[in-house]
Amino acid sequence: MESSKPGNTKLWLLAFFFVSSMVVNVYFYYNNSFSLASPFLRLSWTTKAATEAEIVAAIDCSEHGRAYLDGVPVNGVPMCECHNCYSGPSCSVLASNCTADATTGDAMFLEKYWLHHRINTAVLESGWHRMSYFIGHNFMSDELDKHIRLLHKAVGNAKVDDKFLVFGNGVTQLLNGVIISLSPNVTATPAAPIKKVVAYVPYYPVFKSQTKFFNFRGYEWKGNASDYVNAPNPKDYIELVTSPNNPEGLLRKSIIKGSLAVYDHATYWPHYTPIKYTSDEDIMLFALSKYSGHSGSRFGWAFVRDKAVYDKLTTYMATNSEGVSRETQLRTLKIIKEIVLQINQHKGTVGDFNEYGYTTLRNRWIKLTNLVAQSNRFSLQKLSPEYCNYFKRVRDPSPTYGWLKCEWKQDTDCSAVLQNGNILTQSGVRFEASSRYARLSLIKTQDDFNQLMERLSILVKAKQTSASEEYNYEMDRERSIERPFIYGGDQGSYGSF
Amino acid sequence: MESSKPGNTKLWLLAFFFVSSMVVNVYFYYNNSFSLASPFLRLSWTTKAATEAEIVAAIDCSEHGRAYLDGVPVNGVPMCECHNCYSGPSCSVLASNCTADATTGDAMFLEKYWLHHRINTAVLESGWHRMSYFIGHNFMSDELDKHIRLLHKAVGNAKVDDKFLVFGNGVTQLLNGVIISLSPNVTATPAAPIKKVVAYVPYYPVFKSQTKFFNFRGYEWKGNASDYVNAPNPKDYIELVTSPNNPEGLLRKSIIKGSLAVYDHATYWPHYTPIKYTSDEDIMLFALSKYSGHSGSRFGWAFVRDKAVYDKLTTYMATNSEGVSRETQLRTLKIIKEIVLQINQHKGTVGDFNEYGYTTLRNRWIKLTNLVAQSNRFSLQKLSPEYCNYFKRVRDPSPTYGWLKCEWKQDTDCSAVLQNGNILTQSGVRFEASSRYARLSLIKTQDDFNQLMERLSILVKAKQTSASEEYNYEMDRERSIERPFIYGGDQGSYGSF
């Protein structure tokens, strides 16, 4: 037989290599396409942007920073933007004894989740994408509207079917919009009584600063809601209710019965609090910043029961900024779709975004409470394990902020005590509470949290001097004179989130 | 010799195929990477997003619509969003005799340019991109700040080196911010006199509607600037100056000498007007919507000379929305970089964005003026060819809007006459001008422009009835009673751009 000849062996060998090579060809061809859609589609005009994104993502910042596509370039490559206390071209240099920053509610603890889910949350758009003013209804994407409602149904934190939905550039923009929408237009005759805007102490400082800044003729800031509990005309009051409350994380309800209540539910999500009921208030505000951690996207939303308020709020959004950036709406859709997908597949277990957020913050809270318990210098708000309708189990506390109290008699200005110990916080005074309190943000990067714990452990272990005594609880009732909230160019003036 | 044997011929042939196949393999390997950066980088986590974008971009909408990533899906694929008068799954069905819409300044005429420049303007970002509140300075990207200044230097329309730059969610948001920043905080004692906000007729309707809507205690709307030319205290006046003016496109200056002038330069770009000088005003506003056509991005910027005004305006931006979406800033950077790149390579010729914009609108203006000249029924604003410092040549007019006047005596409400002829416009009344005028937007899609021309040609060719006469010019001085600007949910209420 011919097959025994040496020439034929070579022939078969070469034929084998040829076929193998063809298989590799076919592999390369298909590998470069997206098999779910069309096996024959190959990338063309998107390759440049995709490659740029991968190059920037691969820049080494030592896990202590990150490089971004629009970072300031050094030698043509965006430089690493380092976490607090880190520096150097790859953020590898740790400054000794630098100041920890626990001021802002910048939910960067969620970044790691999104790094793991980078494939499903990537989005590519080119110059021609949605150039027009017009999208969906009232400048709002119908798909995003739908998926926000799906998210609330999957989480169970709000009843949304019977309400209108309005998008804003963060809750910040919607907040003033809602207050304006509930207030009269005082140029009309006869003028209705102007609204009194109030919040129960301690409250989110932006309520006061923003209301005073915009100084609308139809409303005025009137301070602590507890001063008006028995007001004869409760409908003249717009009561801003943060639930869970900022700073201390307790679930709240309006305290002026019959007032126009606005619920800021920015942290009413399973990361931060047990979901104890499906909220069904007339006006409810939510924010991407605290839920998914995308503070930079400036995306928030309001659920509104009343059609007249909805109409005025959409007019506010049109008049203020003609709605929300359409590219932000696209990205938010991607983020929310991924969260809902993972809830459907992994609810309450590894992979579920809510489980990730909760576990991370629970661990931080355990560490912080254990540290503070080591001496009598500080105390924290009391939070108990509670049943959560989302996880369907009792969950430990995992608050957004620590509401720290200085217990030593001489430590009357707690924020200053902490600053002397190289920790930046927000003073209780900003919340119209006592200066004995300071707010510690627990939701920033792991580096931020580690620095906070290191600096705080030194303060906790410090011995009380002979001159000092245990704190006299009578003093807690004396409110410090409020320090004015200064507007200005420094970062500190924006640190109210 | 062995080479003459048939087996050896097969051997050589197979060897040839094998080598060819290997070459193809190598081609595939390298073709899938970005050679400028690293020939060995292959796409991984970006492939899905890039493929999704290409699939959506390839959806056929017959050049009369477009499909977008966040479009409403039908059978899993985003449906085509059709231009006015078109419908059907691929926008191929043209309704007969439908109504042309020339109301809004939605600069979709620029979309075709961006379709051609889709490679350089594509941007890919994943879930972890810029999650934080903090970017650059005051929530503003340093790279974008730099490239906006480079753009103005390349175009020569504004002197920017000695001024602060503030980003906003469109000029709309900045406009109210600037007015608030120039006005006193009336809760302070002693209160300064509140500011009077004015604009010279005909003016952009949003000036009035927005100022009245936000109803800030430190200002009040006072109407036509021409009523206050000799006011004793010009510093009490904030004069809003649109230049080129909306509606008619003439370059303007403040008419109240010594007033606080705010220049809305949204269309002071070579598409729309000759660049006759480098503007150097104290406050100048610009918008992506009119310049690049990205109205949906909601991006505008203000140049401010005075540090105190800058500080207050950045506080306004922080208090109103904590700045502008970071993904919008990234995309805007991409767009502006591409414009500057093309100016540097092709200034004044094919490829230059400004040349594209100018040529398109010049051609439209020629067609419109030729049509209107065919009868005595309508007239348009008079615009002359003028020297342009950017193109370094005399250029023809190419305005944003036609400011159409109805000349027949019976056509007292020009917008209604046009609406009866199936053309939607904005009535001159909204600009505090006569109802004999109507504004026609000339910057929408080619389909929109074609529909406008078709409907208008019918009106132009119509014969005057025996009852009607030539328009009596005396009537022009009688202002119609102003129709109130109604806020509400319908799209018409947002149609002031």
Side-chain angles (χ1 to χ4, degrees), chain B residues 8-69:
Chain B
N8 265 14
T9 310
K10 281 187 209 159
L11 209 66
W12 280 109
L13 212 64
L14 255 177
F16 170 75
F17 283 130
F18 175 59
V19 170
S20 308
S21 178
M22 287 301 290
V23 167
V24 173
N25 271 342
V26 169
Y27 166 81
F28 272 127
Y29 186 83
Y30 280 90
N31 191 42
N32 195 7
S33 65
F34 185 52
S35 57
L36 281 179
S38 155
F40 296 102
L41 185 82
R42 302 196 59 234
L43 294 180
S44 67
W45 58 271
T46 58
T47 312
K48 188 179 180 207
T51 309
E52 282 173 0
E54 294 213 8
I55 289 169
V56 170
I59 293 171
D60 175 23
C61 303
S62 313
E63 308 273 316
H64 299 300
R66 202 155 297 290
Y68 299 105
L69 278 168

Side-chain angles (χ1 to χ4, degrees), chain A residues 10-11 14-15 17-18 21-22 24-25 28-29 31-32 34 37 41-46 48-55 57 66 68-71 73 81 104-106 108 111 114-115 118-134 138 143 169 172-173 185 194 210 213-217 219 290 292-298 314-316 318-322 325-328 330-331 333-334 487-489 494 497, chain B residues 10-11 14-15 17-18 21-22 24-25 28-29 31-32 34 37 41-46 48-55 57 66 68-71 73 81 104-106 108 111 114-115 118-134 138-139 143 169 172-173 185 194 210 213-217 219 290 292-298 314-316 318-322 325-328 330-331 333-334 487-489 494 497:
Chain A
K10 279 187 211 162
L11 209 66
L14 255 178
F17 282 131
F18 175 61
S21 180
M22 286 301 291
V24 174
N25 271 343
F28 272 126
Y29 187 83
N31 193 41
N32 196 6
F34 185 50
L41 186 82
R42 301 196 60 233
L43 294 180
S44 67
W45 58 272
T46 59
K48 188 179 181 205
T51 309
E52 282 173 1
E54 294 212 8
I55 290 169
R66 201 154 299 289
Y68 299 104
L69 278 169
D70 54 357
E81 300 178 19
T104 61
D106 202 8
M108 292 297 289
E111 190 189 43
W114 296 118
L115 284 163
R118 61 184 179 170
I119 293 176
N120 281 357
T121 56
V123 61
L124 187 148
E125 59 193 317
S126 189
W128 53 267
H129 176 79
R130 284 218 184 277
M131 292 173 58
S132 172
Y133 287 106
F134 302 105
N138 290 329
E143 273 297 280
N169 289 281
T172 304
Q173 189 186 26
N185 184 357
I194 68 170
Q210 192 194 54
F213 185 88
F214 286 114
N215 211 3
F216 181 70
R217 285 192 172 86
Y219 63 60
K290 291 295 178 289
S292 74
H294 293 88
S295 312
S297 299
R298 311 308 316 125
T314 53
T315 302
Y316 166 88
T319 310
N320 196 180
S321 63
E322 287 152 23
S325 154
R326 315 321 178 231
E327 38 267 53
T328 298
L330 169 62
R331 189 181 186 211
L333 176 64
K334 270 275 177 192
Y487 295 106
Y494 307 139
F497 341 101
Chain B
K10 281 187 209 159
L11 209 66
L14 255 177
F17 283 130
F18 175 59
S21 178
M22 287 301 290
V24 173
N25 271 342
F28 272 127
Y29 186 83
N31 191 42
N32 195 7
F34 185 52
L41 185 82
R42 302 196 59 234
L43 294 180
S44 67
W45 58 271
T46 58
K48 188 179 180 207
T51 309
E52 282 173 0
E54 294 213 8
I55 289 169
R66 202 155 297 290
Y68 299 105
L69 278 168
D70 53 359
E81 300 178 18
T104 62
D106 203 6
M108 292 298 288
E111 190 188 44
W114 297 118
L115 284 164
R118 62 185 180 171
I119 293 175
N120 282 357
T121 56
V123 61
L124 187 148
E125 58 192 318
S126 188
W128 53 267
H129 176 79
R130 286 219 184 275
M131 292 173 58
S132 172
Y133 287 106
F134 302 105
N138 290 329
F139 306 138
E143 274 296 281
N169 290 282
T172 304
Q173 189 186 27
N185 184 356
I194 68 171
Q210 192 193 54
F213 184 88
F214 287 115
N215 210 0
F216 181 70
R217 285 193 172 85
Y219 63 60
K290 290 296 177 289
S292 75
H294 293 89
S295 312
S297 298
R298 311 307 316 125
T314 53
T315 301
Y316 166 88
T319 309
N320 195 181
S321 64
E322 287 151 25
S325 155
R326 316 317 180 235
E327 39 267 52
T328 297
L330 168 62
R331 188 181 186 213
L333 176 64
K334 270 277 177 191
Y487 294 106
Y494 307 139
F497 343 101

Side-chain angles (χ1 to χ4, degrees), chain B residues 413-443:
Chain B
D413 186 341
C414 196
S415 189
V417 167
L418 292 162
Q419 190 160 357
N420 287 338
N422 287 333
I423 302 171
L424 300 179
T425 63
Q426 292 195 13
S427 167
V429 172
R430 295 184 69 179
F431 301 79
E432 216 176 306
S434 159
S435 64
R436 284 215 169 259
Y437 288 90
R439 193 191 79 169
L440 307 178
S441 173
L442 304 178
I443 62 176

Side-chain angles (χ1 to χ4, degrees), chain B residues 175-448:
Chain B
L175 193 60
N176 194 240
V178 163
I179 302 173
I180 285 181
S181 300
L182 293 172
S183 299
N185 184 356
V186 296
T187 58
T189 35
I194 68 171
K195 297 294 180 187
K196 298 161 173 55
V197 184
V198 296
Y200 182 37
V201 167
Y203 56 74
Y204 178 44
V206 166
F207 290 162
K208 176 180 179 178
S209 61
Q210 192 193 54
T211 305
K212 288 197 152 195
F213 184 88
F214 287 115
N215 210 0
F216 181 70
R217 285 193 172 85
Y219 63 60
E220 59 183 331
W221 174 257
K222 293 295 274 184
N224 192 346
S226 67
D227 297 340
Y228 310 98
V229 172
N230 297 314
N233 299 307
K235 286 276 171 233
D236 290 349
Y237 291 82
I238 298 173
E239 186 180 348
L240 305 177
V241 183
T242 308
S243 178
N245 193 40
N246 179 348
E248 89 292 343
L250 294 173
L251 290 172
R252 279 190 169 192
K253 288 278 184 178
S254 155
I255 64 164
I256 305 176
K257 202 177 170 181
S259 67
L260 305 172
V262 176
Y263 280 80
D264 173 359
H265 278 326
T267 59
Y268 192 44
W269 295 101
H271 309 333
Y272 301 109
T273 186
I275 303 300
K276 294 177 72 173
Y277 45 80
T278 305
S279 187
D280 187 24
E281 307 293 345
D282 289 348
I283 300 177
M284 300 185 286
L285 302 173
F286 293 91
L288 207 63
S289 56
K290 290 296 177 289
Y291 182 47
S292 75
H294 293 89
S295 312
S297 298
R298 311 307 316 125
F299 189 83
W301 60 97
F303 281 105
V304 177
R305 194 188 307 273
D306 184 65
K307 175 73 161 64
V309 176
Y310 166 75
D311 286 343
K312 204 161 171 199
L313 188 56
T314 53
T315 301
Y316 166 88
M317 282 305 305
T319 309
N320 195 181
S321 64
E322 287 151 25
V324 174
S325 155
R326 316 317 180 235
E327 39 267 52
T328 297
Q329 294 189 40
L330 168 62
R331 188 181 186 213
T332 302
L333 176 64
K334 270 277 177 191
I335 299 286
I336 289 180
K337 271 183 163 175
E338 177 66 2
I339 293 174
V340 172
L341 178 75
Q342 297 301 332
I343 290 175
N344 289 340
Q345 292 184 351
H346 307 289
K347 184 171 176 179
T349 63
V350 174
D352 176 3
F353 180 64
N354 298 306
E355 173 71 20
Y356 177 87
Y358 163 61
T359 307
T360 307
L361 292 186
R362 172 185 175 272
N363 292 343
R364 290 187 181 185
W365 184 244
I366 289 170
K367 284 182 186 163
L368 180 67
T369 47
N370 285 347
L371 175 65
V372 167
Q374 288 175 21
S375 82
N376 64 359
R377 184 168 197 180
F378 303 109
S379 66
L380 284 162
Q381 74 265 43
K382 297 280 173 286
L383 297 168
S384 310
E386 287 193 86
Y387 186 82
C388 171
N389 291 336
Y390 177 78
F391 290 122
K392 305 219 180 298
R393 61 175 193 256
V394 174
R395 72 192 281 295
D396 289 330
S398 57
T400 318
Y401 305 108
W403 187 230
L404 195 78
K405 188 172 175 183
C406 283
E407 299 282 0
W408 288 357
K409 186 175 178 184
Q410 78 271 28
D411 291 349
T412 52
D413 186 341
C414 196
S415 189
V417 167
L418 292 162
Q419 190 160 357
N420 287 338
N422 287 333
I423 302 171
L424 300 179
T425 63
Q426 292 195 13
S427 167
V429 172
R430 295 184 69 179
F431 301 79
E432 216 176 306
S434 159
S435 64
R436 284 215 169 259
Y437 288 90
R439 193 191 79 169
L440 307 178
S441 173
L442 304 178
I443 62 176
K444 298 179 75 184
T445 65
Q446 192 61 41
D447 283 339
D448 283 313

